[in-house]
Amino acid sequence: MGWAYITLALFAGIVVPVQAGLNAVMARHIGGALNATFLSFIIGTSALAIILAVTRPALPSLATFGQVPVWAYAGGLMGLIYVASSTFLAPKLGAATLLALVIAGQMIASLIIDQYGLVGFPENPITLLRVLGVVLLVAGVVLIRAF
């Protein structure tokens, strides 16, 4: 695994609690988590439009969108659920507890997704060591929440 990938993944991880906090502040000022989520998506979409305009990648034809499995379009809804939930929960749980629970949920779902090769991932069977890793993460959630 290259250092650039590791660095990018760490940076993405750093951004997650910062985003939750910024969106929670926005929510306090503009009337709640759904309003803040909507504004967050507008800002993100606008930034992405600018990046696309500057980088000018080849855009797919409209026919190409019909080749995407219908269920794959649910990814946008998953983003909505995550951003709205984290915006609502950040001030209630705090950054460490929120993200510990998010990571625990991600790992539990990832074991199931890998086991059955769901949503485009290759099959990667559940092993005792992988389950132990998730158990340790969940134990970490308990410790973070307890202290």
Side-chain angles (χ1 to χ4, degrees):
M1 192 174 350
W3 285 106
Y5 293 153
I6 292 169
T7 303
L8 182 58
L10 287 172
F11 179 72
I14 290 167
V15 168
V16 170
V18 174
Q19 178 197 32
L22 294 174
N23 285 348
V25 169
M26 193 183 331
R28 283 196 304 269
H29 292 280
I30 66 169
L34 291 178
N35 289 340
T37 300
F38 182 70
L39 185 55
S40 180
F41 273 90
I42 288 173
I43 293 166
T45 301
S46 299
L48 182 56
I50 291 167
I51 291 167
L52 288 171
V54 169
T55 60
R56 303 182 69 146
L59 296 176
S61 68
L62 288 178
T64 305
F65 291 104
Q67 297 171 358
V68 177
V70 173
W71 53 265
Y73 288 104
L77 295 176
M78 301 297 161
L80 165 65
I81 291 166
Y82 172 74
V83 173
S85 298
S86 66
T87 300
F88 175 75
L89 293 170
K92 293 167 179 36
L93 298 175
T97 300
L98 170 64
L99 272 294
L101 288 166
V102 166
I103 291 167
Q106 288 172 338
M107 296 312 301
I108 292 165
S110 294
L111 281 181
I112 295 165
I113 288 167
D114 279 354
Q115 172 69 26
Y116 298 103
L118 303 174
V119 296
F121 285 95
E123 286 187 23
N124 192 358
I126 293 175
T127 65
L128 185 58
L129 284 177
R130 294 181 90 206
V131 171
L132 179 61
V134 171
V135 168
L136 290 172
L137 279 169
V138 172
V141 170
V142 171
L143 291 174
I144 288 169
R145 186 67 182 150
F147 298 105

